[in-house]
Every structure is written in C-alpha cells, then in structure tokens.
Amino acid sequence: MRTTLILFALGCPLWLFAKTELTGVVVDEASKNPISYVNIGVFDKNIGTVSDAKGVFSLNIGEIGPGDSIVFSIVGYKRVAHPLRELLNTSPLIIRLREDVINLREIVIENDPSDIKTLGVNRVSGKRFGFVGGIGAGAEVSRKMSVSKPSLLQSASIYVRNKRNGSFKLRLNVYTIDRNANEPGHSLLTRSIILESDLKEGWLNYDFKEPLVVDEPFYISYEWVEANLQNPMIALRGNNHDERVRVRPVSMGRWIMGGNYDFAIRCEVMND
C-alpha cells in the first residue's frame, strides 16, 4: 500500500518512467519549418544531443529525473527549457522556438590589409590528429583568442582530416569569455553557421559575411553536429595543459581543459 501511495503522489504514470528515449522535432514557431542542428541537453549532467537536418531529435533520458529541465538552444532563437515530465506527456512532441533578434555593435575600420592579424595556431607541424571522445552529436573544441583593442573578425579556420569519402559537417561558434569560470560564455553570432565540406585534409576556412566586433578575449569553437565524432579529425600539437583550450564531450555539456593538446584553430582580425 505504501508503494502505491508514493506512485500516485508523484502524479505520473509508470509507463513514462519506463521510456529511455525522448523523440520529437524542433520547428520555427512562426513558419512551422523544422530547425536543423538545435542543441538539446540537460545542464550539469553531460546529457545532450543535436537535432538532425530535418529538426528531428532523440535524447537518451535514462539518467534524467522527471523534474529535470531539457534545454533547447540555437543561435538566432530564444532558448527554451521544459521539464521532462511535461515533455513525456506530450505526443507528438513538437518543440517550437521563437526567433530572437540580436543587434550587432557597429564599428568603423578602414580596410587596410596591413591591419589584418592572425591569431591562434597559424602553422601545423607534424601529422598528429585527434577528436573529442564524446557520446552523440554536440561535442566541441575551442581556443581562446586575445585582442588588445576593438577589432573586426574577418575569418576563422580549423585544420582537419576527413577520414571517409563524402562530406562532413561542423558548426562554427564564437563565444565571449565567462570570467567566473574562464571558459566559453554566450554566443556572439546572430545565426548558426554550419560548414559542410568534402576537404580531405587542410585548413577549413570561413569568411564572416556580417560584421562581428570583438574588443576583449573570445573563443573560436567548432562543434560536431553529426553523431560520428571521429570525423573529421582535428590537427593537434603538444602544449602542456594550455589554459587557452577548452573542450566538451556532449551538446551543452561541461567545459573542461583540453589536456596536453592544442587544437589547430586560428582566426583573422582587422583593427585600426
């Protein structure tokens, strides 16, 4: 009798707790179109995933409590969080995200090639490659870049090796620095930047199409949005516990130091 009373007090049917996977789709609230590569996870539990190209997701909820909130986040949309209990009671599960308008700072810099500087790892020596040992899509590698005055971010690059035939996808992120934790903070971008390439080996470059001003240290980061975290591999160099390197093994997971390796990430900035 005691067990029965406890189960009714929880106010949740037993079959809900038997489920180990939460599946659904993420869509734009206004257009109803699916949203690709949305970060989905539970903060501080290292449980997460990324929606696929059609907005569909599947999240392992075996270690998530019914009262825990699952967060849905992508640049360009307002972040939302829903308790697991609420999502389990919804079928079909459709997560609706609302667009978020972000105003960029303005800066005037004369276009002088002599003012362009390269930050980060500018040269790859040797043939050492690696990847983040994570679970599912959303693993991420980042490197801190430093500027001494307001600058315009021109481009970002990462040195990759494609181990398979066909293309791969990475998401490029640019973050502020969380001063308290000395790790990536909030995004400086206004939209999600997905890089798709069939490059076999070399620098994967992206030229920023809209002005992005940085006036203090920031992080350039790359995220695997597909489940195969071993492709592409990222060029490495030994660097004993470099404070500038942070990684996380799962979507929206905890940032940790990159161990004894520095990832081949660089960027170009222009200042006056």
Side-chain angles (χ1 to χ4, degrees):
M1 176 63 71
R2 184 179 180 183
T3 301
T4 303
L5 289 174
I6 291 175
L7 291 175
F8 275 110
L10 288 174
C12 198
L14 281 175
W15 68 268
L16 295 183
F17 295 99
K19 297 182 69 172
T20 59
E21 294 286 331
L22 181 71
T23 59
V25 61
V26 187
V27 303
D28 181 288
E29 183 179 73
S31 70
K32 306 300 187 292
N33 293 327
I35 306 176
S36 305
Y37 311 122
V38 176
N39 290 112
I40 303 162
V42 181
F43 285 136
D44 297 326
K45 287 200 172 182
N46 271 357
I47 298 172
T49 189
V50 176
S51 66
D52 65 16
K54 297 181 179 179
V56 176
F57 68 90
S58 179
L59 178 67
N60 188 321
I61 58 174
E63 299 180 16
I64 303 176
D68 287 335
S69 290
I70 298 176
V71 180
F72 298 81
S73 177
I74 187 172
V75 173
Y77 288 85
K78 294 184 181 296
R79 176 182 292 179
V80 300
H82 297 283
L84 175 59
R85 182 185 290 109
E86 174 187 311
L87 299 180
L88 288 171
N89 278 305
T90 305
S91 181
L93 181 55
I94 302 175
I95 304 299
R96 297 171 176 84
L97 299 185
R98 183 181 302 173
E99 278 195 283
D100 188 18
V101 178
I102 301 174
N103 295 319
L104 295 174
R105 289 180 49 198
E106 293 185 2
I107 184 173
V108 177
I109 297 177
E110 295 183 2
N111 190 1
D112 184 349
S114 65
D115 293 330
I116 296 179
K117 298 179 181 178
T118 300
L119 309 177
V121 179
N122 192 33
R123 185 174 59 184
V124 175
S125 57
K127 292 294 183 181
R128 302 172 71 180
F129 291 84
F131 53 90
V132 176
I135 301 174
E140 201 165 353
V141 296
S142 67
R143 193 180 195 282
K144 184 191 294 184
M145 308 294 178
S146 296
V147 291
S148 58
K149 54 185 176 181
S151 305
L152 197 62
L153 191 55
Q154 297 284 100
S155 67
S157 308
I158 186 168
Y159 198 97
V160 301
R161 173 183 287 175
N162 184 355
K163 298 201 309 176
R164 67 186 184 193
N165 294 326
S167 63
F168 60 86
K169 293 179 182 178
L170 290 174
R171 180 177 4 232
L172 168 61
N173 293 307
V174 183
Y175 296 112
T176 62
I177 291 181
D178 182 331
R179 295 293 185 180
N180 294 325
N182 193 28
E183 64 185 27
H186 68 264
S187 177
L188 288 171
L189 301 177
T190 61
R191 63 183 180 87
S192 180
I193 299 175
I194 301 296
L195 309 177
E196 183 171 6
S197 174
D198 58 4
L199 178 68
K200 296 306 295 182
E201 183 175 333
W203 287 101
L204 177 63
N205 184 72
Y206 177 79
D207 295 319
F208 288 92
K209 297 174 177 58
E210 53 188 28
L212 182 56
V213 178
V214 289
D215 56 5
E216 58 183 8
F218 60 98
Y219 278 93
I220 295 290
S221 174
Y222 289 85
E223 175 189 354
W224 283 263
V225 294
E226 299 176 308
N228 183 2
L229 301 184
Q230 298 183 31
N231 198 70
M233 300 183 78
I234 310 301
L236 306 171
R237 68 176 185 179
N239 210 335
N240 190 25
H241 288 88
D242 196 321
E243 289 285 345
R244 295 167 295 186
V245 178
R246 291 291 186 276
V247 304
R248 57 180 171 185
V250 67
S251 178
M252 303 178 72
R254 301 185 191 96
W255 290 102
I256 59 176
M257 289 184 61
N260 294 326
Y261 297 103
D262 188 4
F263 295 91
I265 298 174
R266 69 185 184 189
C267 67
E268 290 185 330
V269 298
M270 179 189 297
N271 52 41
D272 53 10

